[in-house]
Amino acid sequence: MYNDKTIVCKDCGQEFIFTAGEQEFFAEKGFSNEPQRCKSCRDSRKQNSRGNTGAREMFSAVCASCGKTCKVPFEPRNDRPVYCSDCFSKR
Ligand SMILES: [Zn+2]
Ligand SMILES: [Zn+2]
């Protein structure tokens, strides 16, 4: 009664198959939402949450002043410069 379904992963944009068996499993568990991510994205998210327990997620950015690569605790946006801790403290 279920048919394999192709879903586009929310994270990487790749198509993946939500198989009939998985749909049945979801229905049995009473999940009403379809999976939104492919298996590899789900796995990497799981690993991230396991690795970062309690720690803040850090993002790589390039310092707008010295050009060094640094880690910042927020997601760098194109419309605002990011400074490494050295340059930041000098400002
Ligand atoms: Zn994906
Ligand atoms: Zn810098």
Side-chain angles (χ1 to χ4, degrees):
M1 66 176 183
Y2 292 102
N3 290 313
D4 287 4
K5 197 168 174 178
T6 306
I7 296 180
V8 176
C9 172
K10 211 176 142 186
D11 278 6
C12 68
Q14 299 256 29
E15 290 185 346
F16 65 97
I17 306 291
F18 185 29
T19 64
E22 285 168 335
Q23 291 176 52
E24 211 177 323
F25 176 80
F26 265 56
E28 258 170 38
K29 295 277 173 190
F31 299 150
S32 51
N33 294 326
E34 292 176 344
Q36 308 204 301
R37 293 177 183 86
C38 67
K39 194 172 180 308
S40 59
C41 288
R42 263 180 283 162
D43 285 350
S44 67
R45 284 176 78 90
K46 246 186 255 164
Q47 267 165 15
N48 280 344
S49 58
R50 217 184 293 139
N52 284 342
T53 36
R56 275 176 94 171
E57 194 179 353
M58 299 296 276
F59 297 88
S60 301
V62 176
C63 173
S65 176
C66 69
K68 256 196 323 201
T69 310
C70 54
K71 298 270 183 199
V72 291
F74 53 88
E75 194 171 3
R77 302 206 183 275
N78 291 333
D79 59 350
R80 88 183 146 139
V82 173
Y83 299 100
C84 66
S85 50
D86 289 350
C87 296
F88 192 79
S89 59
K90 275 184 225 152
R91 305 201 125 235

